[in-house]
Amino acid sequence: MANSKYEYVKLFEQPDVLLPNTWIVVRIDGRGFHKLSDRYGFVKPNDRRALDLMNAAAVEVMKELPDLCLAYGVSDEYSFAFHPSCLLFERRSAKLVTTIVSTFTAYYIYLWGTYFPDTPLQPAALPSFDGRAVMYPSSRILRDYMSWRQVDCHINNLYNTTFWTMVLQGGMSNTDAEQELKGTVSSDKNEILFKRFGINYNNEEEIFKKGSVIYRQYQLEDAQSKSGTSNAEEEEDMPSAPASRSQQDKIRKLRRKAQVVVDHVDIIKDEFWQRRPWILSGRPGKLPTEAQ
Amino acid sequence: MANSKYEYVKLFEQPDVLLPNTWIVVRIDGRGFHKLSDRYGFVKPNDRRALDLMNAAAVEVMKELPDLCLAYGVSDEYSFAFHPSCLLFERRSAKLVTTIVSTFTAYYIYLWGTYFPDTPLQPAALPSFDGRAVMYPSSRILRDYMSWRQVDCHINNLYNTTFWTMVLQGGMSNTDAEQELKGTVSSDKNEILFKRFGINYNNEEEIFKKGSVIYRQYQLEDAQSKSGTSNAEEEEDMPSAPASRSQQDKIRKLRRKAQVVVDHVDIIKDEFWQRRPWILSGRPGKLPTEAQ
Amino acid sequence: MANSKYEYVKLFEQPDVLLPNTWIVVRIDGRGFHKLSDRYGFVKPNDRRALDLMNAAAVEVMKELPDLCLAYGVSDEYSFAFHPSCLLFERRSAKLVTTIVSTFTAYYIYLWGTYFPDTPLQPAALPSFDGRAVMYPSSRILRDYMSWRQVDCHINNLYNTTFWTMVLQGGMSNTDAEQELKGTVSSDKNEILFKRFGINYNNEEEIFKKGSVIYRQYQLEDAQSKSGTSNAEEEEDMPSAPASRSQQDKIRKLRRKAQVVVDHVDIIKDEFWQRRPWILSGRPGKLPTEAQ
Amino acid sequence: MANSKYEYVKLFEQPDVLLPNTWIVVRIDGRGFHKLSDRYGFVKPNDRRALDLMNAAAVEVMKELPDLCLAYGVSDEYSFAFHPSCLLFERRSAKLVTTIVSTFTAYYIYLWGTYFPDTPLQPAALPSFDGRAVMYPSSRILRDYMSWRQVDCHINNLYNTTFWTMVLQGGMSNTDAEQELKGTVSSDKNEILFKRFGINYNNEEEIFKKGSVIYRQYQLEDAQSKSGTSNAEEEEDMPSAPASRSQQDKIRKLRRKAQVVVDHVDIIKDEFWQRRPWILSGRPGKLPTEAQ
């Protein structure tokens, strides 16, 4: 019994290959996490268990996909970056996005009990994530994307910290707190925290203020004195013709050897990128020696 | 602190809205399930627990997304069909695909223990799925797509049943069985099963031979005598202008009330579709009365 | 000297194949024709020479591309429809659109002198056209698209006829005429034309009121009594699997034999389509006998 | 009479905006120019009139679209490059491509008589062009694209020059010449030309050997000593955030003032680009002073 009569339906599959030599960022977001965080009693404004679970799932995604250079997470979202030279799944968009979304979801569900030992998942309200891929044609724009997410983290966290302190410690109603914060700038919020509650925002946990950045660890390099030139050099070095399959396999193996680390640091300024040139270059660095 | 400096990166997000008035099929596939089925000791040629788990996850997806009309599953793949009138997530491809993939994965992981009580998941080998969306511009082609999958199910299952019977009951090596089956047609395989092993393929379980079809249950209608006309009528009826938001919400509510059922029947012939006209029309039928 | 070093740039070409089994409409529009019609002294509200030139160019496009089923033109725009079964240029969007735009432009420029013998083209202001392709997944929607254009033709022509009569015959300023027409409905405009200027809009030229429809001429069939069923039957008949190359070549030859005609008739009601079933079916009819 | 009933068909128009901050190359090709060059008696291997007509049409396209940075033509093809910062027509692909194709075609037809005064166009065989847009994410790759076309020009021209000399001067049949050239490399062809016919390929006209490059003329700069670094600097300088509308208008005005020139020079090596930095930077240079 041949299947040829119906096989024409395969013709309806349309290609979705992403443009070569561009950064691919896959951002995933929790679906309905506002409601979900209430249902599972997430601590306000930041639930450390929930963030650690997000990071743990993201680390597993980074380990499963050595083509990934970087991931940045905040709240219920995570951005994963593939290098412009990446040829994984022939750069098919749906394949890249769904692989990341599914792997992340699998670990999030599987590891839930580790981070929420006293709060079992409810079958009618399982967490899930959606996602999408976006292309960025240069390292400068990839960095601007990451800066955008980290600035957003800061803005939201300062707001949320102030709001929930006013409500939980100050005894204000949600509406009153919201009303008072309307139109305030950063310095206003810092002052409210400090004057009324004795809280110095700078002393808040780094993971709340900076979000989480995940990358492979090699020997750090010295930060370069000439600010800004590093990128230009990356661009210049960046190969435009695609790597051979064997070159790719070799690089993938080297990447698997590196440790995947979670950091809570500034990724807006040059220093982060200058000391870790392997992230933008896509070329593995030297593994840290034991002596270090 | 405004975020405007970096916000331009949002301009790089490209729209991925699917063409209106076309069927959308999201097909998901297990990633590396050949290896995974070995690791978790799936029974050959069909593991009933694994199929039941697939079906259980798919049922939850159907329940969470009332816009879905139909799902068809076989082995480690599942196809979910949205009606041409569907406007969920403004028909954005990545959003539709990732929502299904993530929801399916979440339930697959969560329900694993129910179906494999003695085989715990291993953290280094969690199951995951990829997926993609394809558009089909008419009900005829949607049906041909479903026929394609069910014929595939039949071809693969007959082959696998014969192969594994030769190996497990006949004591042949994998290579020898493969060699003997090369070039055989259906009747040859039926004969091998019957003459050598006394197995009548027709008596195999329906779920193995037909796969699993999931839909919402309303009162069945009589099959129409005029074959083939049903589709033409569906097409004729099919609204071309989009439904209003309130109409959509109303239909969604009606769909939520219907029971989601799993069936193992022929979906190639007309009868299945004629008795369940609500699947192709997208208009909910009458709920079965209690007396029935 | 091999070219292999640079050939990788071909990888950046992305596919743009349109979905199979959908109608493809390529609509072209004159670029800056408002200004251009002033420069070349087009008669207001309708310049018969300009419309005849548009039609002449469109007829040549229909002749060069036998895959085209239908064209509809009004003012400085023209819509060309490819049948769902069309496989020309593998349905690549840019190729289809640019071929039509370029062929149309070539004939428009070449034939200009025939229709504007006293108004030579000026090198700094050559007419040109842009265009785009849109897919429509059923004959019903294709007909609604064509109805949309013809209703637009009617609305604009009634407005323009009234406006320019008020200005040219009534001696009103543009501003005054515009002001008076603001908020009026069709019957108001008909009344202005009739009461003030003795003009019965119904007696205006059909080409102005209905636009121009171009198709291949076969023996007309009787209009069917059952309204609306025709479409359903078309859909039902429509082949879903692609035609072979030889079938396509045969159909193309038959189409080349038919005469291409320009008509100014209603294409909103069923009659036009029922009497010319070959347009929606994509199957050539019988050539008119000489006796007819 | 409202048009709302049919207006839903507009929903089927899908966006085709090209990725920001990438080079856009629109390449157009003559349709069926092999046959057409026979019909109009183009001189072999190169018809200077035909090339001059191509260049004249391309110059007009460059003048009409100040957003274009560069054009390169060879034989019956022309590539037009928009800068990454270009926002013309919101970067809609079909609009950009069809505008170029139509404008080019219009001038090609209009100017035909100037370049072929004794060979009038035949109504059944008007020249036309198809086209497509491709994105290139860096200046390095844009340059590689241009190198690819110029190397292709060289390879084809050396072959054609040798082939037609063997046929026209050597009296060989087409088949014999083709047979002899099979498998030859550049030096073989140079030797055939020189030894048999006394032709030094280096003395052939530059327009045949190098093709034609079109750009806006500003004051040339000194070629930089450090080879290769120029690109890195361009990248570094390249703005990533979009320009405001007024900035764009200002730049467009400056570009309109520059003279559009046609050159036949090497565009593979760095020198061309280093002396004309405005091409890759997208920032107009200084207009040449009268004294120069």
Side-chain angles (χ1 to χ4, degrees):
Chain A
M1 183 175 187
N3 205 348
S4 57
K5 186 181 167 188
Y6 300 120
E7 263 178 335
Y8 80 91
V9 298
K10 283 199 281 188
L11 295 170
F12 291 78
E13 297 176 8
Q14 298 192 295
D16 66 342
V17 168
L18 298 168
L19 193 67
N21 276 70
T22 54
W23 286 92
I24 301 169
V25 172
V26 174
R27 182 165 81 231
I28 70 173
D29 284 275
R31 297 182 59 236
F33 261 50
H34 191 76
K35 202 170 158 189
L36 189 130
S37 65
D38 284 345
R39 180 186 286 261
Y40 289 110
F42 285 13
V43 175
K44 302 290 184 186
N46 292 293
D47 189 306
R48 183 64 196 244
R49 301 163 302 173
L51 293 177
D52 287 344
L53 174 52
M54 288 292 289
N55 290 345
V59 164
E60 295 301 328
V61 170
M62 289 286 284
K63 283 185 188 164
E64 269 206 33
L65 298 173
D67 293 79
L68 285 168
C69 288
L70 189 77
Y72 176 75
V74 46
S75 182
D76 64 340
E77 78 168 48
Y78 239 101
S79 300
F80 297 90
F82 290 104
H83 194 261
S85 62
C86 168
L87 297 175
L88 184 66
F89 306 143
E90 297 96 52
R91 300 175 69 85
R92 280 178 289 149
S93 181
K95 187 101 176 171
L96 290 167
V97 176
T98 56
T99 296
I100 285 182
V101 164
S102 183
T103 304
F104 190 93
T105 304
Y107 281 100
Y108 193 93
I109 300 289
Y110 179 77
L111 296 172
W112 176 275
T114 307
Y115 294 89
F116 289 94
D118 306 323
T119 315
L121 283 171
Q122 301 163 25
L126 292 191
S128 62
F129 298 84
D130 57 36
R132 64 180 307 174
V134 181
M135 296 177 277
Y136 296 103
S138 76
S139 296
R140 178 70 259 162
I141 304 176
L142 183 271
R143 280 191 54 186
D144 284 352
Y145 171 83
M146 293 295 168
S147 297
W148 177 50
R149 300 322 304 139
Q150 194 167 52
V151 170
D152 225 47
C153 168
H154 170 75
I155 293 172
N156 290 333
N157 190 58
L158 178 56
Y159 181 93
N160 291 337
T161 302
T162 314
F163 176 88
W164 286 107
T165 304
M166 291 162 81
V167 169
L168 298 175
Q169 295 189 29
M172 289 175 76
S173 73
N174 286 15
T175 323
D176 287 350
E178 200 185 324
Q179 200 55 38
E180 184 174 345
L181 288 174
K182 205 169 271 177
T184 58
V185 294
S186 293
S187 55
D188 300 327
K189 299 190 191 75
N190 276 307
E191 200 173 295
I192 290 172
L193 283 173
F194 192 71
K195 293 221 168 135
R196 293 198 211 162
F197 305 100
I199 293 172
N200 184 340
Y201 182 73
N202 290 331
N203 297 338
E204 292 292 295
E205 288 191 52
E206 292 299 311
I207 186 175
F208 301 154
K209 290 185 298 180
K210 297 281 199 302
S212 301
V213 56
I214 307 185
Y215 53 87
R216 295 172 213 289
Q217 187 64 289
Y218 300 102
Q219 281 185 36
L220 291 176
E221 300 198 3
D222 289 342
Q224 292 166 14
S225 48
K226 295 178 293 178
S227 77
T229 57
S230 56
N231 280 309
E233 281 163 20
E234 300 304 341
E235 296 290 342
E236 186 188 347
D237 283 354
M238 202 164 83
S240 23
S244 70
R245 182 167 287 273
S246 63
Q247 283 174 302
Q248 288 174 56
D249 286 348
K250 197 182 146 197
I251 287 178
R252 214 169 271 155
K253 262 184 206 162
L254 283 169
R255 284 185 179 152
R256 283 198 196 279
K257 284 187 184 158
Q259 203 195 339
V260 171
V261 296
V262 183
D263 234 340
H264 314 294
V265 294
D266 181 285
I267 59 171
I268 298 173
K269 299 200 199 83
D270 291 335
E271 192 196 351
F272 173 80
W273 307 91
Q274 287 174 342
R275 299 207 65 192
R276 297 162 189 84
W278 61 83
I279 295 176
L280 291 181
S281 75
R283 283 185 298 272
K286 285 183 198 160
L287 289 175
T289 54
E290 283 181 31
Q292 287 194 313
Chain B
M1 181 174 186
N3 204 350
S4 57
K5 184 182 169 189
Y6 299 121
E7 262 178 338
Y8 80 91
V9 298
K10 283 201 279 188
L11 295 170
F12 291 79
E13 298 177 8
Q14 299 192 295
D16 66 342
V17 168
L18 297 168
L19 192 68
N21 277 70
T22 56
W23 285 92
I24 301 170
V25 172
V26 173
R27 184 165 80 231
I28 70 172
D29 283 276
R31 295 183 60 236
F33 261 51
H34 190 78
K35 202 171 159 188
L36 188 130
S37 67
D38 284 345
R39 180 187 286 260
Y40 289 110
F42 284 14
V43 175
K44 303 289 185 184
N46 292 293
D47 189 305
R48 184 62 197 244
R49 302 165 299 174
L51 293 178
D52 287 345
L53 173 53
M54 289 290 291
N55 290 345
V59 164
E60 296 301 328
V61 171
M62 289 285 286
K63 283 185 188 161
E64 269 207 31
L65 299 173
D67 291 80
L68 285 168
C69 287
L70 189 77
Y72 176 76
V74 46
S75 184
D76 63 340
E77 77 166 49
Y78 238 102
S79 300
F80 296 90
F82 289 104
H83 195 262
S85 62
C86 168
L87 297 176
L88 183 66
F89 305 143
E90 297 96 52
R91 298 174 71 84
R92 280 178 289 148
S93 182
K95 188 99 176 172
L96 290 167
V97 176
T98 55
T99 296
I100 286 183
V101 164
S102 183
T103 305
F104 190 93
T105 304
Y107 280 100
Y108 193 94
I109 300 289
Y110 180 76
L111 295 171
W112 176 274
T114 308
Y115 293 89
F116 288 94
D118 306 321
T119 315
L121 283 171
Q122 301 163 26
L126 291 192
S128 62
F129 298 83
D130 57 38
R132 64 181 304 173
V134 181
M135 296 177 277
Y136 296 103
S138 75
S139 297
R140 179 68 260 164
I141 304 176
L142 184 270
R143 278 191 54 186
D144 284 351
Y145 171 83
M146 292 296 169
S147 297
W148 177 51
R149 299 324 302 141
Q150 193 167 51
V151 170
D152 226 46
C153 168
H154 170 74
I155 292 172
N156 291 334
N157 190 57
L158 178 56
Y159 182 93
N160 291 337
T161 302
T162 314
F163 176 88
W164 286 106
T165 305
M166 291 162 82
V167 169
L168 298 176
Q169 295 189 28
M172 290 174 76
S173 72
N174 286 17
T175 322
D176 287 350
E178 199 184 327
Q179 198 57 36
E180 185 174 344
L181 288 174
K182 206 169 270 176
T184 58
V185 294
S186 293
S187 56
D188 300 327
K189 298 190 193 77
N190 275 307
E191 202 174 292
I192 290 173
L193 283 172
F194 192 69
K195 292 221 170 135
R196 291 197 209 163
F197 304 100
I199 294 171
N200 184 338
Y201 181 74
N202 289 332
N203 298 337
E204 292 293 296
E205 287 191 52
E206 292 300 309
I207 187 176
F208 301 156
K209 288 185 298 179
K210 298 280 200 302
S212 301
V213 56
I214 307 184
Y215 52 89
R216 296 173 212 288
Q217 188 65 288
Y218 299 101
Q219 282 185 35
L220 291 177
E221 300 200 2
D222 289 339
Q224 292 166 13
S225 48
K226 294 177 295 174
S227 77
T229 57
S230 56
N231 279 309
E233 282 164 20
E234 302 304 341
E235 295 289 343
E236 187 188 344
D237 283 356
M238 201 163 86
S240 22
S244 70
R245 183 167 286 271
S246 64
Q247 283 174 301
Q248 289 173 57
D249 286 348
K250 196 182 148 196
I251 287 179
R252 214 169 271 157
K253 261 184 207 163
L254 282 170
R255 284 184 178 152
R256 284 197 195 278
K257 283 186 184 161
Q259 200 193 343
V260 172
V261 296
V262 183
D263 234 339
H264 315 293
V265 294
D266 181 285
I267 58 171
I268 300 173
K269 298 201 198 81
D270 291 336
E271 193 196 349
F272 173 80
W273 308 91
Q274 287 174 343
R275 301 206 66 192
R276 298 162 187 84
W278 61 83
I279 295 175
L280 291 181
S281 75
R283 283 188 296 273
K286 286 182 196 160
L287 289 176
T289 55
E290 283 182 31
Q292 285 195 313
Chain C
M1 183 175 185
N3 204 349
S4 57
K5 186 180 167 189
Y6 300 120
E7 262 179 335
Y8 80 91
V9 297
K10 283 199 280 187
L11 294 170
F12 291 79
E13 297 176 9
Q14 298 193 296
D16 66 343
V17 168
L18 297 168
L19 193 67
N21 277 69
T22 55
W23 285 92
I24 301 169
V25 172
V26 174
R27 182 165 81 231
I28 70 173
D29 283 275
R31 297 183 58 237
F33 261 51
H34 191 77
K35 201 171 160 189
L36 188 130
S37 65
D38 284 345
R39 179 186 287 260
Y40 289 110
F42 284 14
V43 176
K44 302 290 184 186
N46 292 293
D47 188 307
R48 183 63 196 244
R49 302 164 301 174
L51 293 178
D52 287 345
L53 173 53
M54 288 291 288
N55 289 346
V59 164
E60 296 301 327
V61 170
M62 289 286 284
K63 283 185 188 163
E64 269 206 32
L65 298 174
D67 292 80
L68 285 168
C69 288
L70 189 77
Y72 177 75
V74 46
S75 181
D76 63 341
E77 77 168 48
Y78 238 102
S79 300
F80 296 90
F82 290 105
H83 194 262
S85 62
C86 167
L87 297 175
L88 184 66
F89 306 143
E90 297 95 52
R91 300 175 70 83
R92 280 178 287 148
S93 182
K95 187 100 177 172
L96 291 167
V97 177
T98 55
T99 296
I100 285 182
V101 165
S102 182
T103 304
F104 190 92
T105 305
Y107 280 99
Y108 193 93
I109 299 289
Y110 179 75
L111 296 171
W112 176 275
T114 308
Y115 294 90
F116 288 94
D118 305 323
T119 315
L121 284 171
Q122 301 163 24
L126 292 191
S128 62
F129 298 84
D130 56 37
R132 64 181 306 175
V134 181
M135 295 178 277
Y136 296 103
S138 75
S139 296
R140 180 69 259 162
I141 305 175
L142 183 271
R143 279 191 54 186
D144 284 352
Y145 171 82
M146 292 295 168
S147 298
W148 177 50
R149 300 321 304 138
Q150 194 167 51
V151 170
D152 225 47
C153 168
H154 170 75
I155 293 171
N156 291 333
N157 190 58
L158 178 56
Y159 181 92
N160 290 337
T161 303
T162 315
F163 175 87
W164 286 106
T165 304
M166 290 162 81
V167 170
L168 298 176
Q169 295 189 28
M172 290 174 76
S173 73
N174 287 15
T175 323
D176 287 350
E178 199 185 327
Q179 199 56 37
E180 184 173 347
L181 288 174
K182 205 169 270 177
T184 58
V185 295
S186 293
S187 55
D188 300 327
K189 298 189 192 77
N190 276 307
E191 202 175 291
I192 290 173
L193 283 173
F194 193 70
K195 292 221 168 135
R196 293 199 210 162
F197 305 100
I199 294 172
N200 184 339
Y201 181 73
N202 289 331
N203 297 338
E204 292 293 295
E205 287 192 53
E206 292 300 311
I207 187 175
F208 301 155
K209 290 185 298 179
K210 297 281 199 303
S212 301
V213 56
I214 307 185
Y215 52 87
R216 296 173 212 289
Q217 187 65 289
Y218 299 102
Q219 282 187 34
L220 291 176
E221 301 198 1
D222 289 340
Q224 292 166 16
S225 47
K226 295 178 293 177
S227 78
T229 58
S230 57
N231 280 309
E233 281 163 21
E234 301 305 341
E235 296 290 343
E236 186 189 346
D237 283 355
M238 203 163 83
S240 23
S244 69
R245 182 167 287 273
S246 63
Q247 283 174 302
Q248 289 174 57
D249 286 348
K250 197 182 146 196
I251 287 177
R252 215 170 272 157
K253 262 184 205 163
L254 283 170
R255 283 184 178 152
R256 284 198 194 278
K257 284 186 185 160
Q259 203 194 339
V260 171
V261 296
V262 183
D263 234 341
H264 314 294
V265 294
D266 181 284
I267 58 171
I268 298 174
K269 299 200 198 82
D270 291 335
E271 193 196 349
F272 173 81
W273 308 90
Q274 287 173 344
R275 299 207 66 192
R276 298 163 188 84
W278 61 83
I279 294 175
L280 291 181
S281 75
R283 282 186 298 273
K286 285 182 198 163
L287 289 175
T289 56
E290 283 181 30
Q292 286 194 313
Chain D
M1 181 175 185
N3 204 349
S4 57
K5 184 182 168 189
Y6 300 120
E7 263 178 335
Y8 80 91
V9 299
K10 283 200 279 188
L11 294 170
F12 291 79
E13 297 176 8
Q14 298 191 295
D16 66 342
V17 169
L18 297 169
L19 192 68
N21 276 70
T22 55
W23 285 93
I24 301 170
V25 172
V26 174
R27 182 165 81 231
I28 70 172
D29 283 276
R31 295 182 61 236
F33 261 51
H34 190 77
K35 203 171 158 186
L36 188 130
S37 66
D38 284 345
R39 180 186 285 259
Y40 289 110
F42 283 14
V43 175
K44 302 290 184 185
N46 292 294
D47 188 306
R48 184 64 197 244
R49 302 165 300 173
L51 293 178
D52 286 345
L53 174 53
M54 289 290 291
N55 290 346
V59 164
E60 296 301 327
V61 170
M62 289 286 285
K63 283 185 188 162
E64 270 206 33
L65 299 173
D67 292 80
L68 286 168
C69 287
L70 188 77
Y72 176 76
V74 46
S75 183
D76 63 340
E77 77 167 50
Y78 238 101
S79 301
F80 296 90
F82 290 105
H83 195 262
S85 62
C86 167
L87 296 176
L88 183 65
F89 305 143
E90 297 96 52
R91 299 175 71 84
R92 281 179 288 148
S93 182
K95 188 100 176 170
L96 291 166
V97 176
T98 56
T99 296
I100 286 183
V101 165
S102 183
T103 305
F104 190 93
T105 304
Y107 280 100
Y108 193 93
I109 299 289
Y110 180 76
L111 296 172
W112 175 275
T114 308
Y115 293 89
F116 288 94
D118 306 321
T119 315
L121 283 172
Q122 301 163 26
L126 292 191
S128 62
F129 298 83
D130 56 37
R132 64 180 304 172
V134 181
M135 295 177 277
Y136 295 104
S138 75
S139 297
R140 179 69 259 162
I141 304 177
L142 184 271
R143 279 191 53 185
D144 284 352
Y145 171 83
M146 292 296 170
S147 297
W148 177 51
R149 299 323 302 141
Q150 193 168 50
V151 170
D152 226 45
C153 168
H154 170 75
I155 293 172
N156 291 333
N157 190 59
L158 178 55
Y159 181 93
N160 291 337
T161 302
T162 313
F163 175 88
W164 286 105
T165 305
M166 289 162 82
V167 169
L168 298 176
Q169 295 189 29
M172 289 175 77
S173 72
N174 286 16
T175 324
D176 287 350
E178 198 185 327
Q179 198 57 37
E180 186 174 343
L181 288 174
K182 205 168 271 176
T184 57
V185 294
S186 293
S187 54
D188 300 327
K189 297 191 195 73
N190 275 307
E191 200 174 293
I192 290 173
L193 283 172
F194 192 70
K195 292 221 168 138
R196 292 197 210 165
F197 304 100
I199 295 172
N200 185 339
Y201 182 74
N202 289 333
N203 298 338
E204 293 292 297
E205 287 191 51
E206 291 300 310
I207 186 176
F208 301 155
K209 289 186 297 180
K210 297 280 200 302
S212 301
V213 56
I214 307 184
Y215 52 89
R216 296 172 212 287
Q217 188 65 288
Y218 300 101
Q219 281 186 35
L220 291 177
E221 300 200 0
D222 289 339
Q224 292 167 13
S225 47
K226 295 177 293 175
S227 77
T229 57
S230 56
N231 280 308
E233 281 163 20
E234 301 304 340
E235 296 289 342
E236 187 188 345
D237 284 355
M238 201 163 85
S240 22
S244 70
R245 183 167 287 272
S246 63
Q247 284 174 302
Q248 289 174 58
D249 286 347
K250 194 181 149 198
I251 287 179
R252 215 169 271 156
K253 261 184 206 160
L254 283 170
R255 283 185 179 151
R256 284 198 196 278
K257 284 187 184 158
Q259 201 193 342
V260 172
V261 296
V262 184
D263 233 340
H264 315 292
V265 295
D266 181 285
I267 58 171
I268 300 174
K269 299 201 198 81
D270 291 336
E271 193 197 349
F272 173 82
W273 308 91
Q274 288 174 343
R275 300 207 65 192
R276 298 162 187 85
W278 61 84
I279 295 175
L280 292 181
S281 75
R283 283 187 297 273
K286 286 183 197 159
L287 289 176
T289 54
E290 282 181 33
Q292 285 193 313

